Amino acid sequence: MRDGQRERSVFLGLLPWPERVRVARALRTETVGGLVLLAAAVVALVWANTPWSGTYEDIRDVHFGIPALGLDLSVGHWTSDGLLSVFFLVAGIELKRELVVGELRTPATAALPVVAALCGMVVPAAVYLATTTIGGGSAQGWAVPMATDIAFALAVLAVLSTHLPSALRAFLLTLAVVDDLGAILVIAVFFTSDLNLPALAGAVAGLVVFYLLQRFRVRGWWWYVPLGLVIWALMYNGGVHATVAGVAMGLILRTVRDEDEDASPGEWTEHLLRPVSAGVAVPLFALFAAGVSVSTEAVGEVFTRPEPLGVVLGLVVGKTVGIFAGTYLAARFTRARLNPDLAWADVLALAVLAGIGFTVALLIGELAFTDPADVEHIKAAVLLGSLIAAAVAALLVKRRNGIYRRLWEAETRDEDADGIPDIYQRTVSGPEGGEGTSRNGA
């Protein structure tokens, strides 16, 4: 085999065993959380379209907090500014882990998911802007269709009872991690209110202290929890969306273990907070964000007004085209070889599934528009676009589920019952086998 061919990596090949274990653990929690998220969204929609819809709005708009500290917020704002900070803290830890020891630690392995994710953000924004320009609408919501909701996407897969191979799930997870970083950068740069420089300086100082505590290996939650709450409050009062504090602290936490540690601070924090994020924080946000009035007139306005139509097209068309084209082009230019057991149709299915942009899309929609009527239209568009993407992805995934089941059975077969699938214990000879063994970590 020529050297150029030997260096070609396998795209969507078998994951190394440690990575497979980590991904399975993370996806299991996110899948359960996604099912709770689906239930919360359904409850919100039903509640907002019953004769008792007034009680939904009354509860969402109840204010409580500490006014003297600038923290007198409504229930809806507590869920978006407070609880979603936990979600972004976990996302920050996941991104840090990917950058330090995961798929994003080297340019060669990072190229595919990063290019795919970036194209999956740029193209939907371009589709939205094109739609609103042609229709004479507002460009304010350009960022709404940029984000993928990994929990919602995994919940769809769970409902379908698919056997999607771990490499496809891991690729979807990595796309979502990069998406989350892009979303938080967009929020921080484009959706900040008037800055309160003293409060913002205090938040930065708090992050520096947070870093120093990590740098000098100071342990004990009693240091970090109060400090984290102070950083969050200062960030909120500083005019930057408070979720930025969550992702900043997540990026600071160490994800590499010291010799005397069973788990790094990042691993320990993620283990504790991922169930809270997936099972409590995100569903509660959905409960108080997804309650929109659904009627024939409202659905009609989604397809006749340029802004909500731009969101739907951005999620359904823009995400699909962006992620698929970005992945294909990156694979061609990095000379990555697609797993021979899969086809580009499987990448297309993932690209469509990534059009489910529920949680962060709703958050950006609330930040982008000030008129409550416009916010309701954008929310309806996000829900409808995500539903269309889920339905199309379901058809594509189910069509290939027989192949996925065969790959999944091969990945999980453990005839010697030692807890490690047999596929990770095979010794393959020859040039092709050497490449596969090295790639798969067997």
Side-chain angles (χ1 to χ4, degrees):
M1 180 180 293
R2 296 190 302 270
D3 292 340
Q5 290 178 319
R6 187 178 297 115
E7 293 173 358
R8 296 179 68 183
S9 61
V10 178
F11 172 47
L12 298 179
L14 187 67
L15 293 176
W17 176 242
E19 184 73 4
R20 163 88 180 270
V21 172
R22 187 200 66 80
V23 167
R25 185 168 56 245
L27 294 182
R28 185 162 51 248
T29 303
E30 292 290 349
T31 300
V32 174
L35 293 173
V36 179
L37 170 64
L38 280 175
V42 170
V43 169
L45 284 171
V46 172
W47 192 358
N49 289 276
T50 63
W52 303 279
S53 60
T55 61
Y56 175 85
E57 297 172 358
D58 291 341
I59 294 174
R60 184 186 60 193
D61 296 336
V62 167
H63 278 247
F64 67 94
I66 308 174
L69 298 179
L71 297 175
D72 184 22
L73 309 178
S74 68
V75 170
H77 279 135
W78 276 114
T79 58
S80 64
D81 292 72
L83 290 179
L84 278 194
S85 295
V86 178
F87 166 79
F88 278 108
L89 173 59
V90 174
I93 295 170
E94 180 67 20
L95 177 63
K96 175 71 172 290
R97 199 209 69 82
E98 290 286 342
L99 290 170
V100 174
V101 297
E103 289 292 310
L104 305 182
R105 70 186 182 278
T106 60
T109 56
L112 268 167
V114 169
V115 170
L118 290 177
C119 291
M121 291 185 283
V122 172
V123 176
V127 169
Y128 175 91
L129 290 174
T131 305
T132 54
T133 299
I134 294 171
S138 169
Q140 287 175 276
W142 62 272
V144 175
M146 290 175 63
T148 294
D149 193 309
I150 183 65
F152 209 140
L154 292 173
V156 170
L157 293 177
V159 170
L160 293 175
S161 187
T162 63
H163 296 79
L164 208 64
S166 57
L168 287 170
R169 294 176 184 266
F171 185 67
L172 182 62
L173 180 61
T174 306
L175 282 177
V177 169
V178 179
D179 249 5
D180 289 338
L181 176 63
I184 204 67
L185 289 175
V186 166
I187 290 171
V189 174
F190 296 100
F191 298 107
T192 57
S193 55
D194 295 332
L195 296 180
N196 180 336
L197 294 181
L200 198 56
V204 172
L207 289 171
V208 171
V209 173
F210 196 98
Y211 168 78
L212 292 174
L213 291 175
Q214 284 289 286
R215 179 71 176 78
F216 292 105
R217 303 305 194 260
V218 176
R219 299 173 184 176
W221 64 267
W222 50 88
W223 293 100
Y224 295 97
V225 173
L227 178 60
L229 292 174
V230 170
I231 292 171
W232 176 86
L234 288 170
M235 191 73 75
Y236 176 82
N237 282 288
V240 177
H241 200 270
T243 52
V244 175
V247 79
M249 287 184 280
L251 288 170
I252 290 172
L253 283 169
R254 285 191 299 112
T255 54
V256 177
R257 304 176 189 179
D258 288 340
E259 291 183 1
D260 61 338
E261 291 180 326
D262 295 326
S264 68
E267 290 175 315
W268 183 78
T269 304
E270 183 184 10
H271 175 73
L272 288 178
L273 291 185
R274 186 179 286 277
V276 177
S277 169
V280 178
V282 173
L284 279 178
F285 168 75
L287 180 63
F288 292 105
V292 296
S293 177
V294 178
S295 63
T296 304
E297 181 181 357
V299 173
E301 288 188 348
V302 168
F303 293 102
T304 55
R305 295 170 62 98
E307 296 87 357
L309 179 60
V311 170
V312 172
L313 292 178
L315 289 172
V316 178
V317 178
K319 272 289 185 183
T320 302
V321 173
I323 290 177
F324 183 82
T327 305
Y328 182 78
L329 292 174
R332 289 293 300 271
F333 283 106
T334 59
R335 294 182 57 79
R337 177 167 58 88
L338 182 65
N339 182 349
D341 290 321
L342 297 173
W344 284 104
D346 304 306
V347 179
L348 177 64
L350 280 190
V352 176
L353 191 65
I356 300 174
F358 190 71
T359 305
V360 178
L362 290 176
L363 173 63
I364 295 178
E366 290 183 345
L367 297 174
F369 294 90
T370 54
D371 188 332
D374 290 337
V375 173
E376 291 298 297
H377 292 142
I378 294 300
K379 286 183 177 181
V382 170
L383 293 172
L384 191 56
S386 298
L387 183 61
I388 294 172
V392 176
L395 293 175
L396 295 175
V397 170
K398 291 299 283 186
R399 177 174 167 269
R400 300 275 294 173
N401 199 41
I403 296 171
Y404 299 152
R405 182 182 293 109
R406 176 174 58 81
L407 293 175
W408 180 82
E409 289 173 351
E411 284 185 6
T412 56
R413 185 176 296 115
D414 183 18
E415 294 181 356
D416 55 5
D418 64 348
I420 299 178
D422 299 336
I423 197 169
Y424 287 95
Q425 298 171 313
R426 294 174 183 167
T427 301
V428 185
S429 60
E432 290 291 343
E435 179 187 349
T437 300
S438 173
R439 175 71 178 86
N440 298 338

Coordinates of all heavy atoms in Angstrom, one line a residue, residues 57-133:
E57 N -49.1 31.5 31.9 CA -48.4 32.8 31.8 C -48.2 33.4 33.2 O -47.2 34.1 33.4 CB -49.2 33.7 30.9 CG -49.3 33.2 29.5 CD -50.3 34.0 28.7 OE1 -50.9 35.0 29.2 OE2 -50.5 33.7 27.5
D58 N -49.2 33.3 34.1 CA -49.1 33.8 35.4 C -47.9 33.2 36.2 O -47.1 34.0 36.8 CB -50.3 33.6 36.2 CG -51.5 34.4 35.7 OD1 -51.3 35.4 35.0 OD2 -52.7 34.1 36.0
I59 N -47.7 31.9 36.1 CA -46.6 31.2 36.8 C -45.3 31.6 36.1 O -44.3 31.9 36.8 CB -46.8 29.7 36.8 CG1 -48.0 29.3 37.6 CG2 -45.6 29.0 37.3 CD1 -48.4 27.9 37.6
R60 N -45.3 31.7 34.8 CA -44.0 32.0 34.1 C -43.5 33.4 34.4 O -42.3 33.7 34.5 CB -44.2 31.9 32.6 CG -43.0 32.1 31.8 CD -43.4 32.1 30.3 NE -44.3 33.2 30.0 CZ -45.0 33.2 28.8 NH1 -44.9 32.3 27.9 NH2 -45.9 34.2 28.6
D61 N -44.5 34.3 34.7 CA -44.1 35.7 34.9 C -44.0 36.1 36.4 O -43.8 37.3 36.7 CB -45.2 36.6 34.3 CG -45.2 36.5 32.8 OD1 -44.2 36.0 32.2 OD2 -46.3 36.7 32.2
V62 N -44.1 35.1 37.3 CA -43.9 35.4 38.7 C -42.5 35.8 39.0 O -41.6 35.2 38.5 CB -44.3 34.2 39.6 CG1 -43.8 34.4 41.1 CG2 -45.8 34.0 39.6
H63 N -42.3 36.9 39.7 CA -40.9 37.4 40.0 C -40.5 37.0 41.5 O -41.4 37.1 42.4 CB -40.9 38.9 39.9 CG -40.7 39.4 38.4 ND1 -39.6 40.0 38.0 CD2 -41.5 39.2 37.4 CE1 -39.7 40.2 36.7 NE2 -40.9 39.8 36.3
F64 N -39.3 36.7 41.6 CA -38.7 36.5 43.0 C -37.2 36.6 42.9 O -36.7 36.5 41.8 CB -39.1 35.1 43.5 CG -38.6 33.9 42.8 CD1 -37.4 33.3 43.2 CD2 -39.2 33.4 41.7 CE1 -36.8 32.2 42.6 CE2 -38.7 32.3 41.0 CZ -37.5 31.7 41.5
G65 N -36.6 36.8 44.0 CA -35.1 36.9 44.0 C -34.7 37.9 45.0 O -35.4 38.2 46.0
I66 N -33.6 38.6 44.8 CA -33.0 39.6 45.7 C -32.8 40.9 44.9 O -31.8 41.1 44.2 CB -31.6 39.1 46.2 CG1 -31.7 37.7 46.8 CG2 -31.1 40.1 47.3 CD1 -30.4 37.1 47.2
P67 N -33.8 41.8 45.0 CA -33.8 43.0 44.2 C -32.5 43.8 44.4 O -32.0 44.5 43.5 CB -35.0 43.7 44.6 CG -36.0 42.7 45.1 CD -35.1 41.6 45.7
A68 N -32.1 43.9 45.7 CA -30.9 44.7 46.0 C -29.7 44.2 45.2 O -28.7 45.0 45.0 CB -30.6 44.6 47.5
L69 N -29.6 43.0 44.8 CA -28.5 42.5 44.0 C -28.8 42.4 42.5 O -28.0 41.8 41.8 CB -28.1 41.0 44.5 CG -27.7 40.9 46.0 CD1 -27.4 39.5 46.3 CD2 -26.5 41.8 46.3
G70 N -29.9 43.0 42.1 CA -30.3 43.0 40.7 C -30.7 41.7 40.2 O -30.6 41.4 39.0
L71 N -31.3 40.9 41.1 CA -31.6 39.5 40.8 C -33.1 39.2 41.0 O -33.5 38.2 41.5 CB -30.8 38.5 41.5 CG -29.3 38.5 41.2 CD1 -28.5 37.6 42.2 CD2 -29.0 38.2 39.8
D72 N -34.0 40.2 40.7 CA -35.4 40.1 40.9 C -35.9 39.6 39.5 O -36.3 40.4 38.6 CB -36.1 41.4 41.3 CG -37.6 41.2 41.5 OD1 -38.0 40.0 41.7 OD2 -38.3 42.2 41.5
L73 N -36.0 38.3 39.2 CA -36.3 37.8 37.9 C -37.6 37.0 37.9 O -38.0 36.5 39.0 CB -35.1 36.8 37.5 CG -33.7 37.4 37.5 CD1 -32.7 36.3 37.1 CD2 -33.6 38.6 36.7
S74 N -38.2 36.9 36.8 CA -39.4 36.0 36.6 C -38.9 34.6 36.6 O -37.8 34.2 36.4 CB -40.1 36.4 35.3 OG -39.3 36.0 34.2
V75 N -39.9 33.7 36.7 CA -39.6 32.2 36.7 C -39.0 31.9 35.3 O -38.1 31.1 35.2 CB -40.9 31.4 36.9 CG1 -40.7 30.0 36.6 CG2 -41.4 31.6 38.4
G76 N -39.6 32.5 34.3 CA -39.0 32.2 32.9 C -37.6 32.7 32.8 O -36.8 32.0 32.2
H77 N -37.2 33.8 33.4 CA -35.9 34.3 33.3 C -34.9 33.5 34.2 O -33.8 33.2 33.8 CB -35.8 35.8 33.7 CG -36.2 36.7 32.6 ND1 -37.0 37.8 32.7 CD2 -35.8 36.7 31.3 CE1 -37.2 38.4 31.6 NE2 -36.5 37.7 30.7
W78 N -35.4 33.0 35.3 CA -34.6 32.1 36.2 C -34.2 30.9 35.5 O -33.1 30.3 35.6 CB -35.3 31.8 37.5 CG -35.1 32.9 38.6 CD1 -36.1 33.7 39.1 CD2 -33.9 33.2 39.2 NE1 -35.6 34.5 40.1 CE2 -34.3 34.2 40.2 CE3 -32.6 32.8 39.2 CZ2 -33.3 34.8 41.0 CZ3 -31.7 33.4 40.0 CH2 -32.0 34.4 40.9
T79 N -35.2 30.3 34.7 CA -34.9 29.1 34.0 C -33.9 29.3 32.8 O -33.0 28.5 32.5 CB -36.2 28.4 33.4 OG1 -36.8 29.3 32.6 CG2 -37.1 28.0 34.6
S80 N -34.0 30.5 32.1 CA -33.2 30.7 31.0 C -31.8 31.2 31.4 O -30.8 30.9 30.8 CB -33.8 31.7 30.0 OG -34.0 32.9 30.6
D81 N -31.8 32.1 32.4 CA -30.5 32.7 32.8 C -29.8 31.9 33.9 O -28.6 31.9 34.0 CB -30.7 34.2 33.3 CG -31.1 35.1 32.2 OD1 -32.3 35.0 31.8 OD2 -30.3 36.0 31.8
G82 N -30.6 31.2 34.7 CA -30.1 30.5 35.8 C -29.8 29.0 35.5 O -28.7 28.5 35.5
L83 N -30.9 28.3 35.2 CA -30.8 26.8 35.0 C -30.0 26.5 33.8 O -29.2 25.5 33.8 CB -32.2 26.2 35.0 CG -33.0 26.2 36.3 CD1 -34.3 25.5 36.1 CD2 -32.2 25.4 37.4
L84 N -30.1 27.3 32.7 CA -29.4 27.0 31.5 C -27.9 27.2 31.7 O -27.1 26.7 30.9 CB -29.9 27.8 30.3 CG -31.1 27.3 29.6 CD1 -31.3 28.0 28.3 CD2 -31.0 25.8 29.4
S85 N -27.5 28.0 32.8 CA -26.1 28.1 33.1 C -25.5 26.8 33.5 O -24.3 26.5 33.2 CB -25.9 29.2 34.2 OG -26.3 30.4 33.8
V86 N -26.3 25.9 34.1 CA -25.8 24.6 34.4 C -25.6 23.8 33.2 O -24.6 23.1 33.0 CB -26.9 23.9 35.3 CG1 -26.4 22.4 35.7 CG2 -27.1 24.7 36.6
F87 N -26.5 23.9 32.2 CA -26.4 23.2 30.9 C -25.1 23.7 30.2 O -24.4 22.8 29.7 CB -27.6 23.6 30.0 CG -27.5 23.2 28.6 CD1 -27.6 21.9 28.1 CD2 -27.2 24.2 27.7 CE1 -27.5 21.6 26.8 CE2 -27.0 23.9 26.3 CZ -27.2 22.6 25.9
F88 N -24.8 25.0 30.2 CA -23.6 25.5 29.5 C -22.4 25.2 30.3 O -21.3 25.1 29.7 CB -23.8 27.0 29.3 CG -24.6 27.3 28.0 CD1 -25.8 27.8 28.1 CD2 -24.0 27.0 26.8 CE1 -26.6 28.1 26.9 CE2 -24.7 27.3 25.6 CZ -26.0 27.8 25.7
L89 N -22.5 25.0 31.6 CA -21.3 24.6 32.4 C -20.9 23.2 32.0 O -19.7 22.9 31.8 CB -21.7 24.6 33.9 CG -20.6 24.0 34.9 CD1 -19.3 24.7 34.8 CD2 -21.1 24.1 36.3
V90 N -21.9 22.3 31.9 CA -21.6 20.9 31.4 C -21.1 20.9 30.0 O -20.1 20.2 29.7 CB -22.9 20.0 31.5 CG1 -22.6 18.7 30.9 CG2 -23.3 19.9 33.0
A91 N -21.6 21.8 29.1 CA -21.2 21.9 27.8 C -19.7 22.4 27.7 O -18.9 21.9 26.9 CB -22.1 22.8 27.0
G92 N -19.4 23.3 28.6 CA -18.0 23.8 28.7 C -17.0 22.7 29.1 O -15.9 22.6 28.6
I93 N -17.4 21.9 30.1 CA -16.6 20.8 30.5 C -16.4 19.8 29.4 O -15.3 19.3 29.1 CB -17.2 20.1 31.7 CG1 -17.2 21.1 32.9 CG2 -16.4 18.8 32.1 CD1 -18.0 20.5 34.1
E94 N -17.4 19.5 28.7 CA -17.4 18.6 27.6 C -16.4 19.1 26.5 O -15.6 18.4 25.9 CB -18.8 18.3 27.0 CG -18.8 17.3 25.8 CD -18.5 15.9 26.2 OE1 -18.5 15.6 27.4 OE2 -18.1 15.1 25.3
L95 N -16.6 20.4 26.2 CA -15.7 21.0 25.2 C -14.2 21.0 25.6 O -13.4 20.6 24.8 CB -16.2 22.4 24.9 CG -15.3 23.2 23.9 CD1 -15.3 22.5 22.5 CD2 -15.8 24.7 23.8
K96 N -14.0 21.3 26.9 CA -12.6 21.3 27.4 C -12.0 19.8 27.3 O -10.9 19.7 26.9 CB -12.6 21.7 28.9 CG -11.3 21.6 29.6 CD -10.3 22.7 29.1 CE -9.1 22.7 30.0 NZ -9.3 23.2 31.3
R97 N -12.8 18.9 27.6 CA -12.4 17.5 27.5 C -12.0 17.1 26.1 O -11.0 16.5 25.8 CB -13.4 16.5 28.1 CG -12.9 15.2 28.5 CD -14.0 14.1 28.3 NE -14.3 13.9 26.9 CZ -13.6 13.1 26.1 NH1 -12.5 12.4 26.6 NH2 -13.9 13.0 24.8
E98 N -12.9 17.5 25.2 CA -12.7 17.2 23.7 C -11.4 17.9 23.3 O -10.6 17.3 22.5 CB -13.8 17.7 22.9 CG -15.1 16.9 23.1 CD -15.0 15.5 22.4 OE1 -14.1 15.3 21.5 OE2 -15.8 14.6 22.8
L99 N -11.1 19.1 23.7 CA -10.0 19.9 23.3 C -8.7 19.3 23.9 O -7.6 19.4 23.3 CB -10.1 21.4 23.7 CG -11.1 22.2 22.9 CD1 -11.3 23.5 23.6 CD2 -10.7 22.3 21.5
V100 N -8.8 18.7 25.1 CA -7.6 18.3 25.8 C -7.2 16.8 25.5 O -6.1 16.5 25.2 CB -7.7 18.5 27.3 CG1 -6.5 17.9 28.1 CG2 -7.8 20.0 27.6
V101 N -8.2 16.0 25.6 CA -8.0 14.5 25.4 C -8.9 13.9 24.4 O -8.8 12.7 24.2 CB -8.1 13.8 26.8 CG1 -7.0 14.3 27.7 CG2 -9.5 13.9 27.4
G102 N -9.8 14.6 23.8 CA -10.8 14.0 23.0 C -10.5 14.2 21.5 O -9.4 14.4 21.0
E103 N -11.6 14.1 20.7 CA -11.5 14.2 19.2 C -10.9 15.5 18.7 O -10.5 15.6 17.6 CB -12.9 13.9 18.6 CG -13.3 12.5 18.7 CD -12.5 11.5 17.9 OE1 -12.3 11.7 16.7 OE2 -12.0 10.5 18.5
L104 N -11.0 16.6 19.5 CA -10.6 17.9 19.0 C -9.2 18.3 19.4 O -8.8 19.4 19.2 CB -11.6 19.0 19.5 CG -13.1 18.8 19.2 CD1 -13.9 19.9 19.7 CD2 -13.3 18.6 17.7
R105 N -8.5 17.3 20.0 CA -7.1 17.7 20.5 C -6.1 17.9 19.5 O -5.1 18.5 19.7 CB -6.7 16.6 21.5 CG -6.3 15.3 20.9 CD -6.0 14.2 22.0 NE -5.6 13.0 21.5 CZ -6.4 12.0 21.0 NH1 -7.7 12.3 21.1 NH2 -6.0 10.9 20.6
T106 N -6.3 17.3 18.3 CA -5.3 17.5 17.2 C -6.1 18.0 16.0 O -7.2 17.7 15.7 CB -4.6 16.2 16.8 OG1 -5.6 15.2 16.4 CG2 -3.8 15.6 18.0
P107 N -5.4 18.9 15.2 CA -6.1 19.4 14.0 C -6.6 18.3 13.0 O -7.7 18.5 12.5 CB -5.0 20.2 13.3 CG -4.0 20.6 14.4 CD -4.1 19.4 15.4
A108 N -5.9 17.2 12.9 CA -6.3 16.2 11.9 C -7.7 15.6 12.3 O -8.5 15.4 11.5 CB -5.3 15.1 11.8
T109 N -7.8 15.3 13.6 CA -9.1 14.7 14.1 C -10.2 15.7 14.3 O -11.4 15.4 14.2 CB -8.9 13.9 15.4 OG1 -8.3 14.8 16.4 CG2 -7.9 12.7 15.2
A110 N -9.8 16.9 14.5 CA -10.8 18.0 14.8 C -11.4 18.5 13.5 O -12.5 19.1 13.5 CB -10.1 19.1 15.6
A111 N -10.7 18.4 12.4 CA -11.1 19.0 11.1 C -12.5 18.7 10.7 O -13.3 19.5 10.4 CB -10.1 18.7 10.0
L112 N -12.8 17.4 10.7 CA -14.1 16.9 10.2 C -15.3 17.5 11.1 O -16.1 18.2 10.5 CB -14.2 15.4 10.1 CG -13.8 14.8 8.8 CD1 -13.6 13.3 8.9 CD2 -14.9 15.1 7.8
P113 N -15.3 17.2 12.4 CA -16.5 17.7 13.1 C -16.5 19.2 13.2 O -17.6 19.8 13.3 CB -16.3 17.0 14.5 CG -14.8 16.7 14.6 CD -14.4 16.4 13.2
V114 N -15.3 19.9 13.3 CA -15.3 21.3 13.4 C -15.8 22.0 12.1 O -16.7 22.9 12.2 CB -13.9 21.8 13.8 CG1 -13.9 23.4 13.6 CG2 -13.6 21.4 15.2
V115 N -15.3 21.5 11.0 CA -15.8 22.1 9.7 C -17.3 21.8 9.5 O -18.0 22.7 9.1 CB -15.0 21.5 8.6 CG1 -15.6 21.9 7.2 CG2 -13.5 22.0 8.6
A116 N -17.7 20.6 9.8 CA -19.1 20.2 9.7 C -20.0 21.1 10.6 O -21.0 21.6 10.2 CB -19.3 18.8 10.1
A117 N -19.6 21.3 11.8 CA -20.3 22.1 12.8 C -20.4 23.6 12.3 O -21.4 24.3 12.4 CB -19.8 22.0 14.2
L118 N -19.2 24.1 11.9 CA -19.2 25.5 11.4 C -20.1 25.7 10.2 O -20.8 26.7 10.1 CB -17.7 25.9 11.1 CG -16.8 26.1 12.3 CD1 -15.4 26.4 11.8 CD2 -17.3 27.2 13.3
C119 N -20.0 24.8 9.3 CA -20.9 24.9 8.1 C -22.3 24.8 8.5 O -23.2 25.4 7.9 CB -20.5 23.8 7.1 SG -18.9 24.1 6.2
G120 N -22.6 23.9 9.6 CA -23.9 23.8 10.1 C -24.4 24.9 10.9 O -25.6 25.0 11.2
M121 N -23.6 25.9 11.1 CA -24.0 27.2 11.7 C -24.1 28.3 10.7 O -25.0 29.1 10.7 CB -23.1 27.6 12.9 CG -23.1 26.6 14.1 SD -22.1 27.2 15.5 CE -20.5 26.7 14.9
V122 N -23.1 28.4 9.8 CA -23.1 29.4 8.8 C -24.2 29.3 7.8 O -24.9 30.3 7.5 CB -21.7 29.5 8.1 CG1 -21.7 30.5 7.0 CG2 -20.6 29.8 9.1
V123 N -24.4 28.1 7.3 CA -25.4 28.0 6.2 C -26.8 28.3 6.7 O -27.6 29.0 6.0 CB -25.3 26.6 5.6 CG1 -26.4 26.4 4.5 CG2 -23.9 26.4 4.9
P124 N -27.3 27.7 7.9 CA -28.6 28.1 8.4 C -28.8 29.6 8.5 O -29.9 30.2 8.2 CB -28.7 27.4 9.7 CG -27.8 26.2 9.6 CD -26.6 26.7 8.7
A125 N -27.7 30.3 9.1 CA -27.8 31.7 9.2 C -28.0 32.4 7.9 O -28.8 33.4 7.7 CB -26.6 32.3 9.9
A126 N -27.2 31.9 6.9 CA -27.3 32.5 5.5 C -28.7 32.2 4.9 O -29.3 33.1 4.2 CB -26.2 31.9 4.6
V127 N -29.3 31.0 5.1 CA -30.6 30.7 4.6 C -31.6 31.7 5.3 O -32.5 32.2 4.6 CB -31.0 29.3 4.9 CG1 -32.5 29.0 4.7 CG2 -30.1 28.3 4.1
Y128 N -31.5 31.9 6.6 CA -32.4 32.8 7.3 C -32.3 34.2 6.7 O -33.3 34.9 6.4 CB -32.1 32.9 8.8 CG -32.9 33.9 9.5 CD1 -34.1 33.6 10.1 CD2 -32.5 35.2 9.6 CE1 -34.9 34.5 10.8 CE2 -33.3 36.2 10.3 CZ -34.5 35.8 10.8 OH -35.3 36.7 11.5
L129 N -31.1 34.7 6.5 CA -30.9 36.1 6.0 C -31.4 36.2 4.6 O -32.0 37.2 4.2 CB -29.4 36.4 6.1 CG -28.8 36.7 7.5 CD1 -27.3 36.8 7.4 CD2 -29.5 37.9 8.1
A130 N -31.2 35.2 3.7 CA -31.7 35.2 2.4 C -33.2 35.3 2.4 O -33.8 36.0 1.6 CB -31.2 34.0 1.6
T131 N -33.8 34.5 3.2 CA -35.3 34.4 3.3 C -35.9 35.8 3.7 O -36.8 36.3 3.2 CB -35.8 33.3 4.3 OG1 -35.2 32.1 3.9 CG2 -37.3 33.2 4.3
T132 N -35.3 36.3 4.8 CA -35.8 37.6 5.3 C -35.5 38.8 4.3 O -36.3 39.7 4.3 CB -35.2 37.9 6.7 OG1 -33.8 37.9 6.6 CG2 -35.7 36.9 7.7
T133 N -34.4 38.7 3.6 CA -34.0 39.7 2.7 C -35.1 39.7 1.5 O -35.6 40.8 1.1 CB -32.6 39.6 2.1 OG1 -31.7 39.6 3.2 CG2 -32.3 40.6 1.1

